[in-house]
């Protein structure tokens, strides 16, 4: 990068500085268009899935060093521009900025992009934002909701909350299952004895759902206050008659299938285990008294230290698992030097062998993919402004500048005219299609 030959900024003519700023703005717009084109292809081909991430936005936030909100918006714009060839061409030529394209993709369609692009080339970005907001508002008012699922809530005259809802079949079944589970948790007691009835998890949903709904609300409020480690399961594992190690072929879940060693390690990673040994006197239940699960104090320390899933680029903060880097069944200790938080998806991927974790000591862990390449937390970025200028030297200094003479924008009038013209064009297209048929 060679900038030493230039005069200091204070000594350069202001017109030259202005020209360079506008030229770079157009070049940045053209480079951004190329960036989004590649991003759309990367997303379409699911290049991010190989890293066990949740979306292209998570990958971009990790690799490009932008916030997750910005990454989601860039992915949205990238995918939207692929359906808008005229806007994409002007963007690649450096004639419209990313800010304008971002606004246009909120309302433009293949049938309306031409008229919107003409406005974008002539209006400043602030005017275009106002116009798009008006179009979005009008579209929300005129669109009809064909989905019958919905609901409402209000307080009646007595101060009671009234809720009504209509679910689709699939969501309705899930909602009823949640009510049944909430009723089970609400009515479950710690009392034991031959006369103590056990709540039925498979029972129909309660006819009066209000107590169960209240219990659901309490559980959600209790669980959403802080990053919570996913509760461990109580697992019944059957082993051989002589109490042979858990990774033998005799191990299987209670009333379930046999477990190979890899699956068994995944099941037992954070579970509380009851071993059922089959001997001459029949099945014998024995508690696993070893310290497999972290204590509450250790879990609190783990959450404070890691806060989220520690796989680079993930960041999930709910339903985390305390994972033994060196498996407990292989002698790994239950301490901070061998424990790290993983989300459920990455925990399963790890046990499936899709990546590895190595404990380096002093609570430092490294991650590697299937090829042994280290997965970094914040990859270094680099760029060269001179290379950018050479690559996009065909961009004119005034390419990105709007052809605007200072006229005010009547947003209401412009919105009304656009919507009327689009409606007329739509009717004309429908008439032509009907005539052709």
């Amino acid at each position: 990068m060679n900038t030493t030959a230039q005069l200091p900024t204070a000594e350069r003519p202001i017109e030259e500085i202005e020209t360079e700023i506008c030229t770079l703005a157009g070049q940045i717009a053209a480079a951004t268009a190329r960036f989004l084109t590649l991003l759309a292809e990367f997303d379409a081909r699911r290049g991010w899935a190989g890293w066990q991430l949740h979306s292209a936005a998570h990958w971009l936030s990790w690799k490009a060093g932008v916030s997750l909100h910005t990454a989601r918006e860039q992915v949205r714009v990238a995918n939207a521009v692929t359906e808008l060839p005229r806007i994409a061409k002007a963007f690649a030529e450096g004639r419209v900025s990313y800010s304008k394209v971002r606004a246009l993709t909120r309302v433009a369609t293949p049938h309306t992009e031409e008229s919107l692009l003409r406005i974008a080339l002539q209006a400043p970005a602030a005017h275009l934002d106002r116009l798009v907001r008006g179009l979005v508002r009008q579209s929300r008012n005129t669109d009809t909701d064909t989905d019958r699922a919905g609901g409402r809530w209000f307080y009646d005259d007595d101060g009671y909350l009234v809720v009504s809802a209509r679910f689709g079949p699939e969501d309705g079944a899930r909602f009823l299952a949640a009510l049944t589970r909430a009723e089970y948790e609400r009515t479950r007691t710690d009392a034991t004895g031959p006369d103590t009835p056990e709540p039925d998890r498979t029972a129909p949903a309660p006819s009066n759902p209000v107590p169960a709904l209240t219990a659901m609300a309490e559980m959600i409020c209790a669980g959403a206050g802080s990053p919570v480690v996913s509760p461990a399961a109580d697992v019944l594992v059957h082993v051989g008659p002589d109490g042979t190690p858990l990774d033998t072929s005799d191990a299987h879940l209670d009333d379930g299938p046999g477990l190979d060693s890899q699956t068994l390690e995944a099941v037992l990673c954070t579970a509380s285990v009851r071993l059922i040994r089959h001997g001459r006197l029949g099945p014998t239940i024995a508690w696993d008294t070893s310290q497999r699960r972290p204590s509450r104090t250790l879990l609190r320390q783990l959450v404070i230290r890691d806060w989220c899933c520690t796989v680079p680029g993930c960041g999930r903060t709910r339903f985390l698992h305390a994972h033994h880097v060196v498996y407990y069944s292989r002698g790994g200790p239950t301490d901070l030097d061998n424990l790290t938080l993983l989300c459920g998806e990455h925990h399963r991927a790890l046990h499936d062998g899709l990546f590895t974790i190595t404990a380096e000591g002093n609570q430092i862990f490294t991650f590697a993919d299937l090829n042994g390449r280290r997965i970094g937390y914040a990859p270094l970025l680099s760029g060269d402004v001179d290379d950018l200028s050479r690559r996009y030297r065909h961009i004119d200094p005034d390419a990105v500048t709007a052809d605007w003479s200072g006229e005010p924008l009547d947003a209401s009038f412009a919105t009304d005219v656009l919507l009327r013209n689009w409606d007329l064009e739509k009717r004309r297209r429908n008439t032509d299609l009907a005539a052709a048929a």
Side-chain angles (χ1 to χ4, degrees), residues 290-430:
S290 56
Q291 189 65 21
R292 177 188 307 272
R293 296 170 57 189
S295 64
R296 292 184 62 183
T297 300
L298 191 57
L299 279 177
R300 185 179 304 171
Q301 294 171 341
L302 197 59
V303 170
I304 292 174
R305 185 195 71 185
D306 294 343
W307 181 72
C308 64
C309 176
T310 54
V311 174
C314 181
R316 283 188 175 178
T317 59
R318 296 293 186 271
F319 303 105
L320 303 175
H321 301 175
H323 170 69
H324 289 77
V325 176
V326 178
Y327 294 164
Y328 182 87
S329 58
R330 300 179 184 177
T334 304
D335 57 30
L336 291 176
D337 286 334
N338 193 49
L339 289 173
T340 189
L341 290 181
L342 299 177
C343 67
E345 183 175 349
H346 279 116
H347 199 184
R348 289 188 293 272
L350 175 67
H351 282 285
D352 288 340
L354 299 182
F355 68 96
T356 62
I357 306 177
T358 303
E360 305 290 351
N362 296 322
Q363 303 182 35
I364 297 175
F365 305 95
T366 57
F367 298 77
D369 62 15
L370 287 175
N371 297 320
R373 295 179 301 174
R374 183 167 177 172
I375 306 174
Y377 280 99
L380 295 177
L381 301 177
S382 62
D384 188 339
V385 66
D386 288 342
D387 179 66
L388 178 70
S389 298
R390 287 191 298 269
R391 183 171 298 186
Y392 297 100
R393 59 181 178 271
H394 60 281
I395 303 296
D396 294 331
D398 59 349
V400 78
T401 304
D403 186 16
W404 178 58
S405 302
E407 305 90 347
L409 171 69
D410 187 340
S412 178
F413 175 75
T415 300
D416 185 63
V417 169
L418 280 173
L419 291 175
R420 288 178 181 273
N421 288 340
W422 292 346
D423 184 59
L424 289 174
E425 291 177 6
K426 183 178 179 180
R427 293 180 182 179
R428 188 180 301 113
R429 287 195 306 271
N430 292 339

Side-chain angles (χ1 to χ4, degrees), residues 56-75:
H58 287 82
W59 176 89
L60 188 63
S61 176
W62 166 41
K63 284 287 190 175
V66 297
S67 71
L68 190 57
H69 172 77
T70 301
R72 287 195 178 106
E73 189 66 2
Q74 288 177 339
V75 172

